[in-house]
């Protein structure tokens, strides 16, 4: 895996927010309203309201509506249209988006495919930097051998040791021979992730893939009581140790 992963979205200026991305193969507003209905039902007993509103502007202006970032409970979620049938999902978690459970659940709810994409450059030096990871997970609308997972691939640095894993049925375009590479970190690279996603109609690391023809993003925001342990962070604060 490339140390720098040249070509990350917005040159990685919005990491860790954009280090993990979710995708749903459906319309952005439809996805946002379905997500808000799900969350609203869960949070109503706590007196929390969940609203949906359009967000115009550039991609970075859109991402800024997620600020400040939260730790204990994610309060803002973006659904961003793309130049494809897929809608992107990003939330305001202070350590980055948590796409897995939301996309898996929404894929079943909406009867479409969902996806989790992770791309983190390995920059750890002494006490600074991040553990590297390249991950791809595809979810379907129906139960499989493991929840509704259709395909998973990952290479990540797990506390200093590189690990590789896969499950599900490979796609015809996959480079299966690469999964036998001697170096674990070479078995599934950022370049391979980009190529695989391109086959599925996605270019998630290119800014112009998002917000086609001035279409707005959709912000799902929770208002009401906040958990006592909740803390807020600026983007600069969470990037201090990068």
């Amino acid at each position: 895996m490339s140390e720098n992963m040249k070509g990350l979205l917005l040159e990685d200026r919005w990491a860790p927010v954009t280090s993990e991305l979710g995708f749903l193969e459906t319309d952005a507003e439809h996805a946002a309203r379905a997500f808000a209905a799900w969350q609203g039902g869960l949070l109503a007993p706590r007196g929390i309201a969940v609203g949906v509103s359009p967000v115009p502007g550039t991609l970075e202006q859109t991402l800024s509506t997620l600020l400040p970032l939260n730790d204990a409970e994610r309060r803002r979620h973006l659904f961003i249209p793309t130049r494809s049938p897929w809608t992107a999902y990003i939330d305001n978690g202070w350590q980055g988006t948590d796409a897995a459970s939301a996309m898996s659940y929404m894929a079943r709810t909406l009867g479409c495919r969902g996806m989790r994409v992770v791309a983190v450059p390995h920059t750890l030096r002494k006490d600074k930097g991040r553990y590297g990871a390249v991950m791809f997970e595809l979810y379907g609308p129906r139960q499989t051998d493991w929840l509704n997972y259709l395909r998973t691939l990952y290479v990540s640095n797990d506390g200093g040791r590189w690990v590789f894993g896969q499950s599900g049925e490979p796609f015809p375009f996959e480079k299966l021979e690469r999964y036998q590479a001697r170096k674990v970190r070479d078995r599934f690279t950022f370049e391979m992730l980009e190529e695989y996603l391109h086959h599925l109609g996605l270019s998630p690391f290119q800014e112009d893939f998002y917000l086609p023809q001035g279409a707005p993003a959709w912000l799902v925001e929770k208002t009401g009581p906040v958990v006592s342990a909740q803390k807020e962070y600026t983007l600069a604060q969470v990037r201090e140790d990068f």
Side-chain angles (χ1 to χ4, degrees):
M1 181 171 60
S2 168
E3 294 269 317
N4 296 319
M5 288 191 188
K6 292 179 180 178
L8 283 169
L9 181 60
L10 298 170
E11 299 178 337
D12 219 25
R13 290 191 300 273
W14 278 84
V17 177
T18 55
S19 297
E20 178 170 331
L21 304 167
F23 292 93
L24 290 167
E25 202 171 18
T26 190
D27 173 76
E29 182 179 2
H30 178 55
R33 295 195 182 281
F35 181 86
W38 168 42
Q39 292 290 296
L42 294 175
L43 298 172
R46 287 177 47 200
I48 294 177
V50 182
V52 181
S53 56
V55 179
T58 66
L59 181 57
E60 292 203 69
Q61 289 170 340
T62 298
L63 291 173
S64 70
T65 64
L66 292 172
L67 300 173
L69 305 176
N70 297 139
D71 58 0
E73 184 177 49
R74 296 156 203 271
R75 303 284 288 192
R76 287 172 290 281
H77 311 256
L78 275 174
F79 291 82
I80 308 173
T82 71
R83 291 187 290 104
S84 78
W86 296 85
T87 286
Y89 167 81
I90 304 175
D91 69 33
N92 80 322
W94 73 294
Q95 292 183 315
T97 296
D98 180 10
S101 58
M103 296 300 94
S104 173
Y105 179 86
M106 293 302 295
R108 294 194 301 269
T109 299
L110 296 174
C112 66
R113 292 189 297 179
M115 194 182 300
R116 176 191 183 218
V117 174
V118 178
V120 181
H122 187 68
T123 60
L124 195 68
R125 295 292 184 274
K126 295 184 179 179
D127 295 331
K128 288 222 170 193
R130 293 182 284 171
Y131 288 106
V134 177
M135 299 180 176
F136 167 80
E137 294 178 353
L138 184 68
Y139 319 109
R142 290 176 291 277
Q143 177 75 31
T144 62
D145 291 341
W146 171 244
L147 301 176
N148 59 327
Y149 283 59
L150 297 176
R151 182 69 173 133
T152 68
L153 281 164
Y154 66 87
V155 162
S156 64
N157 190 294
D158 184 11
R161 184 174 66 94
W162 289 95
V163 295
F164 166 79
Q166 62 167 316
S167 67
E169 187 70 24
F171 286 97
F173 54 74
E174 290 186 35
K175 298 179 175 179
L176 302 181
E177 70 282 357
R178 293 287 299 273
Y179 307 157
Q180 307 302 318
R182 185 179 63 84
K183 282 189 175 181
V184 174
R185 65 191 299 179
D186 292 337
R187 295 177 187 175
F188 186 46
T189 65
F190 176 63
E191 292 74 21
M192 293 169 67
L193 174 65
E194 278 192 299
E195 183 179 331
Y196 288 9
L197 293 172
H198 182 73
H199 279 286
L200 293 169
L202 292 92
S203 302
F205 307 110
Q206 297 177 13
E207 183 177 357
D208 65 359
F209 177 62
Y210 301 92
L211 302 170
Q213 300 170 334
W218 294 86
L219 178 68
V220 176
E221 187 166 14
K222 301 166 186 173
T223 56
V226 177
V227 295
S228 58
Q230 184 82 287
K231 292 183 180 178
E232 295 184 340
Y233 301 85
T234 65
L235 183 61
Q237 284 176 316
V238 299
R239 291 174 59 89
E240 285 177 356
D241 292 329
F242 279 17

